[in-house]
C-alpha cells in the first residue's frame, strides 16, 4: 500500500466495519479445547439480559479484551466466554410493565405459563442486545460459546447444586426474618439491600401499664410496626424497670395486652432503656421473640399494605399512610411524648428502589459458614490475588461475618426450586424430577414449590457451568480454572465471593487466579453517571463520533488503579488524536516506500552501523516494551497506556521520526536503508504492543505497512519482547547513549524555546553555536551533524569548546554544554528590550496582586482549598515567567553594542 492509498486521517468507522466481520468469519475468537497450547480463559461478568451498553461495560470489557488479545499474541489458546444473566427481578418487572402497557394485562391475568411464554418471547426479541453491542467495541469473545443462565445446561447445573447442598444439609427451609421488597413482592438477600442515609423522625410513645400505675416509654422510627408489637423489653440489670419485669402494658390502638420481658440485648443507655418488640418485623426483635417464646405477628400484606392483624381501622392502608395515621391517633390519645428529627440508614431494594420491609417469612436458605472457610483460605494464601489488594480486607471481613443466604424469590421468571410437596402430608421431597411416591405417607400427588431461586444462585456457578459442569467435558478440563476476572467491587459479595465458594465446593479448585476490580466512572464534577442526571453518555454514540479505539484507549488512560475515573466525551480526543498520530507516522513511512525485507529482526547489525539516535530509539523501545508488559502482568492498565503513549508521541514521533527525516532526505543510500529498517522494526513492535488496546487501527496499519499477509492478522503475531542483553551489547545500546541523546534533544528543545521567546518564526534558519562541556560531549555532538542541523532547523551549526557569541545572543545552558543563538541582525534589539521590559512590568503587577490575595487571611481561611491552591500555582507560574523574562533582558544587555 502507498501513502496515497492510506487516507489522510484515520477513519475509524470504515476500518471497524472492515475488520470485525473478517475476524469473526475467520474464527479468530474461537478457543479450542483440543489445542496443545497453554490455555487462557476468562468468563464475562454476564450483563442483565435487559441491559444496554454503558461506559461501565466499556471499561470492564475493554480490560478483558486487552487481556485475551495479549494472551493470544503470547501463544495461548484463548477462550473468552460471553453470555447474559436472566436477571429475575429486573426482567420480570420489565416484561410486566411492557405487557401492561401494550396489552393492559397483569401477569396474574395471564397465569404463570402464559406469562413465562411472554418473557421468553421478549427475551428473543430484545434480550441480549448488549452482547451485540459489544462487537462494536471490538470485543473478541468466543461467540459460539455464548451462554444464558436459563440455558438447559446451566439450569441442570443449578438443579444439581441445589440438590447436592440440600443432601449435605447446607440448604434448608426456615421461618426467619428476611428483607422483603413490597414493590417486587419477593424476598431479598442482605446483599440486595442498599442503605441510604435519610432524615427521618424518632417518635416517643407511652405504653400504659395494665394496672394503670404509670406507663413505659418506647421510641421507634417505624410507628406502623407497633401494631405488631408482642412485648416491651428492658435490660434485667436496669434498676428503673426491675419492678416492672413480668408485668404487662396495654398496647395502644389495639385490644391486646403484652408483657414486659428482661433481655440482655437491650441497651439501657439508649433512649428510655425500654424497647418495643415486633418479632415479625425486625431481625433483633425476632431473636428476642425466640428467646422469650413471643407471638410472631405479621401485620403487612406482601405489597406493603397493612393486613387484618393490624386491626380493622388500618387494614389495607399503605404502610406509610398507616405510619401517619398511627402518629396522629397516638397524639390524640395523649400517648405521643415527643418527636425528634433523626438521621438513620434506611434499607432500599436494589431493584425495586423502595424501602425494604424486614418480615418473618418461610424461605429457603444456604448455610454459608461451611462454604466460606475454604474460600477465605484461597485468598489468604495467595492462590487468588485481588487487584488492588485493599479489597482483601473487605472480602475477609464479610466472609468472617457471613450470614446464611436467602435464596428463594417469590417470582415466576427464574430457576424454579426443585422441591416437591406431598399433597396428602405436605412432606418436602427435593428431587431432579417429580417424585412418584411420598416416602412418608405413600401419597402420589405432588406440587412443585412455586418460588424460584435468587438470580445469583445461577451466577455463582458461571465459571464452570459455562463449560458443561457437572459433566467432565473437554472444555472444563482445558479452560477451568479460568485466569482472570474483571468486575466491579460493588458485587464482591454478590458474586466474587460466592463464585470462589462454589468453585472450591463443586469442582475442587479456585474459579480464577486474579480478580481485577474496576474503578467507578464519574463525570467531571465527580458525580456517578446516571440517566437521571443526564450525564451518562451512550457509548455507541461515542464510538460513532470518536471511534472504538479512541474510546478504549481513553477509558484506560484516565483510569488509575483503584481510583475513580473522571470522564467526559471530550477526553476521547486523547484517544482519537493518538490514533491519528500513529496513522500519520505510518503515512510518513509509506511515503518512503515499502517495508524493508528484514524489518522483523536486528540480526546482522552492530553498534558501528548505527547512529546514536538509532541506538537511543531501540533502547527506549526495549525499555517501553518491558515496562508495558510488566504493567499488564500486574493489571496496571493505566500505567501501560501512559508508558506506550509517552514513548509513541514524545519519543518515536516527536524525535526519532524527525531525526529519520534528515537521513531519509539526505540521499545517502546506506544510511537511508538502515534508518528505514530501524523505523520498521520499532513501528511493527509498537503496533503489536498497542494492538490489545487499539485493535482496529493497529490491524489496518500492520497490513498497510506490509508487516503481514492479507490472510493473516496482527492478532496472532508475536507479542514484542525487550532486546536481550547480548543484542543490546552488540548494538552498543547502554544507559550512557540513551542519556546523551536525551540531553541532545533537551538542548534542541531549549534552542527552539529561545526562538519562540524572541518571536522568531519557526521556519527561519539561523546559525547555532554550541560550546560543549568537554571532549566527550564534543565528540558525541559531532557524530551526527546532518540530523543535528535538521532538528535545530539551523543554517549552520558550529561546535567548539572555545566558542562564544559576538554580540547579543539567546543562551541555553544544558548538561551537554551551552548553545547560543546569535540575534544581531535577526531582531531589533532595542525594540525587543522594550517589549520584554513591558512584559516584565505587567508580570510584576500580577505577582503583587496574587501575593496580596494570599496574604489576606480571610481569603485563605474562607475560600475553598482548591481555589487557594490555584492562586499559589498562579504565583509560581508568574514568578517563573518573571525569571525567564529577566534572563532574556539580561542576555540582550550583556551583549549590547
Amino acid at each position: 500500500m502507498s501513502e496515497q492509498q492510506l487516507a489522510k486521517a484515520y477513519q475509524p468507522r470504515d476500518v471497524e466495519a472492515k475488520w470485525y466481520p473478517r475476524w469473526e468469519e475467520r474464527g479468530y475468537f474461537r478457543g479450542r479445547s483440543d489445542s496443545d497450547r497453554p490455555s487462557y480463559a476468562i468468563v464475562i461478568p454476564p450483563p442483565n439480559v435487559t441491559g444496554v451498553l454503558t461506559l461501565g461495560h466499556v471499561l470492564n470489557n475493554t480490560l478483558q479484551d486487552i487481556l485475551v488479545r495479549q494472551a493470544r499474541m503470547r501463544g495461548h489458546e484463548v477462550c473468552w466466554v460471553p453470555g447474559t444473566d436472566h436477571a429475575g427481578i429486573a426482567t420480570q418487572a420489565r416484561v410486566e410493565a411492557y405487557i401492561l402497557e401494550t396489552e393492559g394485562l397483569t401477569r396474574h391475568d395471564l397465569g404463570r405459563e402464559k406469562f413465562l411464554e411472554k418473557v421468553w418471547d421478549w427475551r428473543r426479541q430484545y434480550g441480549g442486545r448488549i452482547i451485540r453491542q459489544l462487537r462494536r467495541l471490538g470485543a473478541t469473545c468466543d461467540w459460539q460459546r455464548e451462554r444464558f443462565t436459563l440455558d438447559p445446561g446451566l439450569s441442570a447445573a443449578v438443579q444439581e447444586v441445589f440438590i447436592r447442598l440440600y443432601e449435605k444439609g447446607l440448604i434448608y427451609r426456615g421461618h426467619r426474618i428476611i428483607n422483603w421488597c413490597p414493590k417486587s413482592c419477593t424476598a431479598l438477600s442482605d446483599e440486595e439491600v442498599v442503605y441510604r442515609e435519610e432524615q427521618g423522625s424518632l417518635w416517643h410513645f407511652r405504653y400504659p401499664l395494665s394496672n394503670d400505675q404509670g406507663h413505659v416509654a418506647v421510641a421507634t422510627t417505624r410507628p406502623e410496626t407497633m401494631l405488631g408489637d408482642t412485648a416491651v423489653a428492658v435490660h434485667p440489670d436496669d434498676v428503673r424497670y426491675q419492678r416492672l419485669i413480668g408485668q404487662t402494658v396495654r398496647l395502644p390502638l389495639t385490644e391486646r395486652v403484652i408483657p414486659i420481658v428482661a433481655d440482655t440485648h437491650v441497651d439501657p443507655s439508649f433512649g428510655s432503656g425500654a424497647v418495643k418488640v415486633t418479632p415479625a418485623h425486625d431481625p433483633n426483635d425476632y431473636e428476642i421473640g425466640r428467646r422469650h417464646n413471643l407471638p410472631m405477628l405479621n401485620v403487612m400484606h406482601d405489597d406493603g399494605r397493612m393486613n387484618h392483624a393490624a386491626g380493622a381501622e388500618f387494614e389495607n392502608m399503605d404502610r406509610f399512610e398507616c405510619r401517619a395515621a398511627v402518629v396522629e391517633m397516638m397524639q390524640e390519645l395523649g400517648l405521643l411524648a415527643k418527636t425528634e428529627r433523626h438521621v438513620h440508614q434506611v434499607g432500599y431494594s436494589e431493584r425495586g428502589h423502595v424501602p425494604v420491609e424486614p418480615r418473618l417469612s418461610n424461605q429457603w436458605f444456604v448455610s454459608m459458614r461451611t462454604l466460606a472457610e475454604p474460600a477465605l483460605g484461597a485468598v489468604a494464601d495467595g492462590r487468588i490475588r485481588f487487584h488492588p489488594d485493599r479489597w482483601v480486607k473487605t472480602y475477609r471481613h464479610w466472609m468472617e461475618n457471613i450470614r446464611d443466604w436467602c435464596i428463594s424469590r417469590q417470582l415466576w421468571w427464574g430457576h424454579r426450586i426443585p422441591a416437591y410437596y406431598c399433597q396428602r402430608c405436605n412432606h418436602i421431597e427435593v428431587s431432579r424430577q417429580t417424585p412418584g411416591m411420598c416416602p412418608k405417607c405413600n401419597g402420589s400427588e405432588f406440587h412443585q414449590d412455586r418460588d424460584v431461586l435468587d438470580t445469583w444462585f445461577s451466577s455463582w456457578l458461571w465459571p464452570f457451568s459455562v463449560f458443561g459442569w457437572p459433566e467432565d467435558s473437554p472444555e472444563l478440563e482445558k479452560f477451568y480454572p479460568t485466569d482472570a476476572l474483571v468486575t466491579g467491587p460493588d458485587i464482591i459479595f454478590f458474586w466474587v465471593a460466592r463464585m470462589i465458594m462454589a468453585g472450591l465446593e463443586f469442582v475442587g479448585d479456585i474459579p480464577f487466579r486474579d480478580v481485577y476490580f474496576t474503578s467507578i466512572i464519574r463525570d467531571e464534577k465527580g458525580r456517578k453517571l446516571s440517566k437521571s442526571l443526564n450525564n451518562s453518555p451512550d457509548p455507541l454514540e461515542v464510538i460513532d463520533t470518536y471511534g472504538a479505539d479512541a474510546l478504549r484507549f481513553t477509558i484506560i488512560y484516565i483510569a488509575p488503579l483503584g481510583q475513580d475515573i473522571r470522564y467526559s466525551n471530550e477526553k476521547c480526543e486523547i484517544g482519537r488524536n493518538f490514533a491519528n498520530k500513529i496513522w500519520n507516522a505510518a503515512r510518513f513511512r509509506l511515503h518512503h516506500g515499502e517495508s524493508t525485507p528484514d524489518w522483523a529482526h536486528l540480526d546482522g547489525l552492530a553498534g558501528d552501523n548505527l547512529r546514536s539516535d538509532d541506538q537511543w530509539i531501540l533502547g527506549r523501545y526495549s525499555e517501553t516494551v518491558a515496562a508495558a508488559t510488566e504493567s499488564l502482568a500486574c493489571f496496571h492498565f493505566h500505567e501501560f497506556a501512559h508508558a506506550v503513549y509517552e514513548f509513541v508521541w514524545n519519543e518515536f514521533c516527536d524525535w526519532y521520526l524527525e531525526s529519520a527525516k534528515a537521513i531519509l532526505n539526505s540521499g545517502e543510500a546506506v544510511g537511508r536503508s538502515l534508518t528505514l529498517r530501524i523505523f520498521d522494526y520499532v513501528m511493527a513492535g509498537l503496533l503489536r504492543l498497542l494492538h490489545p488496546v487499539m485493535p482496529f487501527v493497529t490491524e489496518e496499519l500492520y497490513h498497510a505497512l506490509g508487516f503481514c499477509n492479507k490472510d493473516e492478522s496482527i492478532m496472532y503475531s508475536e507479542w514484542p519482547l525487550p532486546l536481550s542483553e547480548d543484542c543490546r551489547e552488540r548494538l552498543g545500546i547502554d544507559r550512557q547513549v540513551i542519556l546523551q541523546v536525551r540531553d541532545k534533544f533537551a538542548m534542541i528543545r531549549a534552542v527552539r524555546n529561545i526562538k519562540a521567546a524572541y518571536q522568531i518564526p519557526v521556519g527561519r534558519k539561523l546559525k547555532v553555536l554550541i560550546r560543549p562541556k568537554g571532549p566527550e560531549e564534543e565528540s558525541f555532538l559531532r557524530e551526527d551533524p546532518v540530523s543535528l542541523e535538521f532538528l535545530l532547523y539551523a543554517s549552520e551549526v558550529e561546535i567548539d569548546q572555545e566558542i562564544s557569541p559576538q554580540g547579543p545572543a539567546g543562551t541555553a545552558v544544558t548538561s551537554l554544554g551551552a548553545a547560543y543563538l546569535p540575534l544581531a541582525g535577526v531582531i531589533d534589539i532595542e525594540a525587543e528590550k522594550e517589549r520584554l521590559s513591558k512584559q516584565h512590568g505587567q508580570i510584576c503587577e500580577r505577582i503583587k496582586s496574587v501575593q496580596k490575595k494570599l496574604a489576606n487571611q480571610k481569603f485563605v481561611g474562607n475560600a475553598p482549598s482548591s481555589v487557594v491552591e490555584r492562586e499559589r500555582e498562579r504565583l509560581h507560574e508568574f514568578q517563573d515567567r518573571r525569571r525567564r523574562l529577566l534572563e532574556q533582558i539580561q542576555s540582550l544587555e550583556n551583549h549590547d553594542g
Side-chain angles (χ1 to χ4, degrees), residues 30-37 77 145 474-475 478-479:
R30 182 67 173 162
R32 291 167 175 78
S33 59
D34 58 354
S35 168
D36 58 3
R37 295 193 297 180
E77 189 65 32
R145 295 189 192 278
E475 288 78 12
K478 179 70 176 177
F479 297 118

Side-chain angles (χ1 to χ4, degrees), residues 194-266:
V194 179
Y195 286 91
R196 303 179 191 171
E197 187 176 276
E198 291 191 353
Q199 176 71 58
S201 297
L202 185 64
W203 289 274
H204 294 258
F205 293 155
R206 299 186 184 99
Y207 285 4
L209 291 168
S210 298
N211 60 12
D212 294 323
Q213 298 299 306
H215 65 266
V216 176
V218 297
T220 181
T221 58
R222 297 158 65 213
E224 67 280 8
T225 64
M226 70 165 285
L227 302 172
D229 286 359
T230 56
V232 170
V234 298
H235 195 281
D237 297 332
D238 191 334
V239 295
R240 294 172 295 175
Y241 297 110
Q242 284 179 336
R243 64 182 179 83
L244 297 180
I245 295 171
Q247 294 191 37
T248 59
V249 297
R250 292 195 303 273
L251 183 64
L253 311 183
T254 76
E255 297 179 356
R256 290 187 290 114
V257 173
I258 59 176
I260 299 171
V261 300
D263 197 283
T264 54
H265 172 78
V266 178

Side-chain angles (χ1 to χ4, degrees), residues 5 48 176 276 432 467 488 507 678 726 731 775 875 883:
Q5 291 173 295
N48 287 355
R176 296 178 51 179
K276 58 189 286 299
R432 291 170 180 81
F467 295 123
V507 192
I678 300 300
D726 288 345
L731 298 178
L875 179 60
R883 176 188 58 77

Side-chain angles (χ1 to χ4, degrees), residues 92-198:
Q92 180 162 312
R94 178 74 66 87
V95 177
E96 282 193 76
Y98 176 75
I99 293 171
L100 186 64
E101 181 182 345
T102 57
E103 302 179 32
L105 299 173
T106 69
R107 65 182 168 111
H108 299 288
D109 295 330
L110 291 170
R112 186 170 192 142
E113 297 308 315
K114 288 286 186 185
F115 175 74
L116 290 178
E117 287 177 14
K118 294 281 188 183
V119 182
W120 279 107
D121 288 344
W122 185 91
R123 187 252 174 182
R124 281 186 284 271
Q125 187 172 355
Y126 301 107
R129 180 170 37 169
I130 188 171
I131 293 296
R132 295 188 292 274
Q133 292 172 331
L134 286 174
R135 288 173 161 86
R136 287 289 312 277
L137 187 64
T140 55
C141 299
D142 187 343
W143 299 114
Q144 295 179 49
R145 295 189 192 278
E146 184 180 341
R147 297 290 184 265
F148 179 52
T149 50
L150 280 175
D151 284 346
L154 275 69
S155 295
V158 167
Q159 183 186 75
E160 183 66 26
V161 163
F162 186 96
I163 292 170
R164 289 190 189 186
L165 290 176
Y166 181 79
E167 290 174 347
K168 287 185 71 171
L170 295 179
I171 280 184
Y172 64 92
R173 185 164 172 78
H175 197 56
R176 296 178 51 179
I177 285 282
I178 49 88
N179 302 295
W180 185 264
C181 175
K183 182 177 180 181
S184 304
C185 292
T186 182
L188 304 172
S189 68
D190 293 339
E191 292 72 39
E192 291 171 297
V193 178
V194 179
Y195 286 91
R196 303 179 191 171
E197 187 176 276
E198 291 191 353

Side-chain angles (χ1 to χ4, degrees), residues 84 113 210 223 268 354 397 467 481 494 513 582 621 696 801 816:
T84 48
E113 297 308 315
S210 298
V354 296
H397 176 77
F467 295 123
F494 283 114
R513 298 177 178 89
I582 302 162
Y621 165 77
F696 293 107
Q801 290 182 61
L816 291 177

Side-chain angles (χ1 to χ4, degrees), residues 241-373:
Y241 297 110
Q242 284 179 336
R243 64 182 179 83
L244 297 180
I245 295 171
Q247 294 191 37
T248 59
V249 297
R250 292 195 303 273
L251 183 64
L253 311 183
T254 76
E255 297 179 356
R256 290 187 290 114
V257 173
I258 59 176
I260 299 171
V261 300
D263 197 283
T264 54
H265 172 78
V266 178
D267 180 1
S269 65
F270 181 76
S272 67
V275 297
K276 58 189 286 299
V277 181
T278 319
H281 290 279
D282 183 273
N284 294 320
D285 292 3
Y286 171 73
E287 296 301 329
I288 294 175
R290 288 181 61 189
R291 286 193 289 271
H292 297 275
N293 294 314
L294 298 174
M296 309 278 182
L297 189 62
N298 181 0
V299 295
M300 289 187 198
H301 288 300
D302 291 354
D303 60 2
R305 290 178 301 114
M306 309 307 289
N307 63 24
H308 69 281
E313 289 181 88
F314 306 103
E315 188 173 3
N316 289 323
M317 273 190 185
D318 174 78
R319 55 184 168 154
F320 298 115
E321 182 185 356
C322 179
R323 177 177 298 181
V326 165
V327 171
E328 183 180 349
M329 293 174 73
M330 290 293 281
Q331 187 169 24
E332 289 173 355
L333 292 170
L335 298 177
L336 175 62
K338 62 178 176 177
T339 303
E340 293 179 313
R341 291 170 65 83
H342 182 65
V343 176
H344 61 145
Q345 297 288 324
V346 178
Y348 275 75
S349 166
E350 186 189 40
R351 295 293 180 193
H353 309 292
V354 296
V356 298
E357 195 62 47
R359 186 179 188 217
L360 191 62
S361 181
N362 268 317
Q363 302 290 340
W364 290 90
F365 297 87
V366 179
S367 179
M368 300 298 284
R369 193 158 297 280
T370 301
L371 299 173
E373 289 179 11

